[in-house]
Amino acid sequence: MYTKNLTVSPLAYTSKLVMYIQSQIALKHLSLTNQQQKILKELQKRSQYVNLNYVYTSLLNDIKQFKQE
C-alpha cells in the first residue's frame, strides 16, 4: 500500500521484492538454481542500503503489497 504523496523508487521496489522472494524461499522451503541465487544476490547487493521504513505497510510475505491501488 502506498501513500498518495510518496512515490516508491525502483530501487526501493526492488529491495522490497527481494525481501518478498527471500521470505517465500524460507517459508516454502524452496531451492534456487545457481543462476537464480546469483541474480537474487546481485539484486540484494544493489538494494541493500535502501531505507524501507516507508515502503512496508503489510506483512513481508503478503503479495498484496505489490498491487497498485
Side-chain angles (χ1 to χ4, degrees), residues 4-62:
K4 292 181 182 179
N5 297 331
L6 184 65
T7 43
V8 178
S9 74
L11 196 55
Y13 190 83
T14 300
S15 184
K16 184 175 169 180
L17 183 59
V18 167
M19 289 176 63
Y20 173 78
I21 292 170
Q22 290 172 330
S23 73
Q24 293 304 299
I25 292 167
L27 291 171
K28 296 180 180 180
H29 306 287
L30 302 174
S31 57
L32 299 178
T33 65
N34 289 338
Q35 183 181 12
Q36 290 170 326
Q37 289 175 7
K38 184 178 177 182
I39 292 169
L40 192 59
K41 189 175 284 191
E42 181 62 30
L43 289 173
Q44 181 182 11
K45 182 178 167 184
R46 291 181 185 206
S47 61
Q48 69 183 350
Y49 297 111
V50 175
N51 182 356
L52 294 178
N53 288 338
Y54 67 92
V55 176
Y56 271 94
T57 57
S58 59
L59 297 175
L60 180 64
N61 63 345
D62 186 2

